Amino acid sequence: MPAARKNVLITEGLLVLMSIIWGMNFAVMKYGTDVLEPLAYNGVRLAVGSVAMLVILGSRRAPALPWRDIRALMLLGTLGTGIYQAFFINGLALTRAGTASLVVAASPAVIAVVGRMMGVESVNLRAVWGIALSIAGIAFVIVSSASSSEGHSSAFGLLLILASVVCWSFYTHLVRPYTHRIDGIQVATWSLIGGTIPMLVIATPAILRAHWSAVVPLTWGAIFYSGVGSMGIAYLFWYRGVRVIGSTRTAMFSNLQPVVALAVSWPLLGETPTLMQGIGAGAVLGGLLLTRQPSAPEPAHGE
């Protein structure tokens, strides 16, 4: 097997694992925001994730980045982590975990549109059909949720989550040049820290109000999972995907998230999936398979 093709297959396998981690995280964070104020939960979990990434980065003894790169990554992290998470966590607190995951699944379409607007990425006809099929699947689930889950979802919450998707889409394209010349752990660490700092400023009042002495081990486990697993390990897989196969194709793997989220939220949160949601999840998977291409990875800038 050619080395380039093997690299693509390994990357795609890691992106599937990323989607599983992120899909489970919807239920984990929904539980966390039911126990703690959303901003308090998010502020602490981002801080935990930042510390974990600094430990990982320090253990690798990677060469220090120039300050201009650190500053740029931290500024991008303000958009891709700080603002994104502020919208997302408050939106999730107002919606069902499964419904929220399906709104997030619209990110490949938004990323593709943003990429075309910015002139940094093209979308072929096969990818267009895959995105269209995924959007159709999302529509099935949203319609089902609106008709059968009144009182569990909030239109305002869904709008907040959609706003977070827009932030993430711009961030994904803006950070891509850095992924071609900077190690993924460096990118993940500094962008996470850049987003954590403003989030902690915003979340400080909520963190101070929380009764941390009464927090049970299960809640701390949720914070650790969504901080280290979701914000650390899964992000490393994402940055590798952006570098190897491009922003839009990487984003298509995130369409697996609602399938995982719906499956996990059923037994853990009592969010029973409907037939329409099942049809939608099938369409989402079909869109991912249609978009997946057996091509070699895109060359890095300057190579």
Side-chain angles (χ1 to χ4, degrees):
M1 178 184 297
R5 180 59 184 152
K6 182 179 180 180
N7 190 32
V8 170
L9 290 176
I10 293 174
T11 299
E12 290 179 336
L14 292 175
L15 290 175
V16 171
L17 179 57
M18 171 202 76
S19 296
I20 293 173
I21 293 173
W22 279 348
M24 293 179 63
N25 194 49
F26 281 93
V28 172
M29 291 186 66
K30 183 63 178 177
Y31 159 76
T33 57
D34 284 342
V35 176
L36 297 168
E37 289 186 51
L39 286 178
Y41 177 86
N42 215 28
V44 173
R45 73 127 178 170
L46 290 182
V48 169
S50 294
V51 171
M53 291 305 297
L54 281 172
V55 171
I56 294 173
L57 180 61
S59 67
R60 297 181 75 249
R61 297 181 180 179
L65 285 182
W67 169 244
R68 65 178 180 275
D69 286 335
I70 293 176
R71 180 177 57 190
L73 289 172
M74 290 180 69
L75 286 173
L76 287 174
T78 300
L79 172 66
T81 299
I83 299 175
Y84 167 82
Q85 287 294 333
F87 283 136
F88 176 78
I89 195 69
N90 284 289
L92 180 62
L94 297 173
T95 67
R96 287 162 54 109
T99 304
S101 71
L102 285 151
V103 175
V104 172
S107 60
V110 179
I111 287 175
V113 172
V114 170
R116 288 294 298 272
M117 289 172 53
M118 298 174 64
V120 297
E121 190 164 301
S122 60
V123 181
N124 62 27
L125 183 60
R126 182 176 177 179
V128 170
W129 281 110
I131 291 170
L133 183 57
S134 293
I135 291 176
I138 293 167
F140 267 99
V141 178
I142 291 177
V143 169
S144 173
S145 298
S147 62
S148 64
S149 303
E150 293 180 5
H152 293 282
S153 297
S154 162
F156 181 63
L158 296 179
L159 287 175
L160 288 176
I161 293 175
L162 184 58
S164 75
V165 170
V166 174
C167 291
W168 177 256
S169 299
F170 277 97
Y171 167 77
T172 296
H173 288 296
L174 291 171
V175 80
R176 185 179 178 188
Y178 294 94
T179 68
H180 286 298
R181 62 182 181 84
I182 298 175
D183 180 71
I185 293 181
Q186 295 266 24
V187 175
T189 300
W190 294 115
S191 59
L192 177 56
I193 292 173
T196 299
I197 293 172
M199 175 57 67
L200 282 176
V201 172
I202 297 172
T204 294
I207 292 174
L208 293 177
R209 285 194 300 268
H211 300 289
W212 295 104
S213 60
V215 174
V216 300
L218 181 61
T219 303
W220 284 114
I223 291 173
F224 183 83
Y225 177 90
S226 59
V228 178
S230 177
M231 298 303 302
I233 296 172
Y235 266 70
L236 294 179
F237 299 159
W238 173 273
Y239 292 123
R240 173 175 175 145
V242 170
R243 174 174 57 84
V244 174
I245 65 175
S247 303
T248 298
R249 286 179 60 194
T250 296
M252 287 304 297
F253 279 85
S254 67
N255 278 356
L256 289 171
Q257 292 183 56
V259 179
V260 177
L262 288 169
V264 172
S265 299
W266 186 2
L268 295 184
L269 302 177
E271 296 182 2
T272 305
T274 65
L275 176 61
M276 292 284 280
Q277 287 177 322
I279 294 173
V284 164
L285 280 173
L288 172 60
L289 294 175
L290 188 60
T291 303
R292 180 181 178 275
Q293 304 171 29
S295 58
E298 302 172 10
H301 295 300
E303 293 183 355

